[in-house]
Amino acid sequence: MAAPVGVGRVRELLGWIAPPAGGRVLDLGCGYGAWLLELLTVREDLTGVGIDLSLPDGLERATRDRGVGDRVRWEQADATGWEGGLFDVVVCVGASHAFGGLAGTLAAARQHLRPGGQVVLGDTFWETRPTLEALSALDVAADDVPDLPGLLTQVEQASFEPGYGHVSTVAEWDDYEWSWTAFLVDWALREAPTDADREQALAVAREHRQQWLSGYRGVLGFATLVLHDLTPLQETRP
Ligand SMILES: C[S@@+](CC[C@H](N)C(=O)[O-])C[C@H]1O[C@@H](n2cnc3c(N)ncnc32)[C@H](O)[C@@H]1O
């Protein structure tokens, strides 16, 4: 998982997804494929496509371990220009920066979504009023990120109805951030091929820890929402 969402919460959120039998699922910015692999494991009739700029090592192995290899296709591609027909479910968790933010992500999800389909959206919001330290650490302006009501307003303005949702706990954030920096530190100390590589990886890990702990910890929130496309209902209204 490359987002601050615990495994149990992933299952809980996906329990609210109800694609039709034989449905298709698209994951934009799939990373390690956690969402798609889980959904295809639970629903053996679904097929899926996962798109990411860089597909991580271990993805093929995880796919084999889950026994879903004949139903999923991983594509190394830029999700912003990707085309591949319509899907019953579009997942985009933690990748909204690729689409220029929330509005662009909702537009991209709609572009790939069958009318009446569902979206799993995971994005950031201000948990508290943004501090100068948080703005500096994230290199954003206060208006670049909504608060939680603002996030839901944007979702509704894009003709989606928010269904189930989960707001990441500090423990989920901590787990995500510690894992991220620990991975870098382990690689630096055990596997870096040169001293320069080791120092560079350690520098990145230290800077990231500083930005998190002294910057946005407890200030930046993360919400994962199940969204329902409302356009078919709107089109049938007189
Ligand atoms: C924070 S990770 C989230 C991964 C995954 N959705 C999850 O929840 O575990 C963001 C992912 O978006 C991918 N990404 C960023 N820009 C992208 C782009 N333009 N096209 C495709 N993937 C992109 C990154 O490579 C990374 O794997």
Side-chain angles (χ1 to χ4, degrees), residues 1-3 27 29-31 35 51-54 77-80 93-95 97-98 176:
M1 173 58 63
D27 191 341
C30 60
W35 296 90
I51 312 290
D52 204 289
L53 273 184
S54 82
D78 184 344
T80 57
V93 176
H97 52 287
Y176 168 65

Side-chain angles (χ1 to χ4, degrees), residues 164-185:
Y164 190 66
H166 169 68
V167 172
S168 297
T169 62
V170 172
E172 285 175 306
W173 265 112
D174 284 355
D175 189 40
Y176 168 65
E177 300 286 5
W178 284 122
S179 303
W180 201 93
T181 49
F183 178 82
L184 265 178
V185 168

Side-chain angles (χ1 to χ4, degrees), residues 25 50 77 87 100 106 109 118 145 152 174 212 218:
V25 183
F87 291 79
L106 291 166
Q118 288 177 294
V145 179
L152 290 173
D174 284 355
W212 161 43

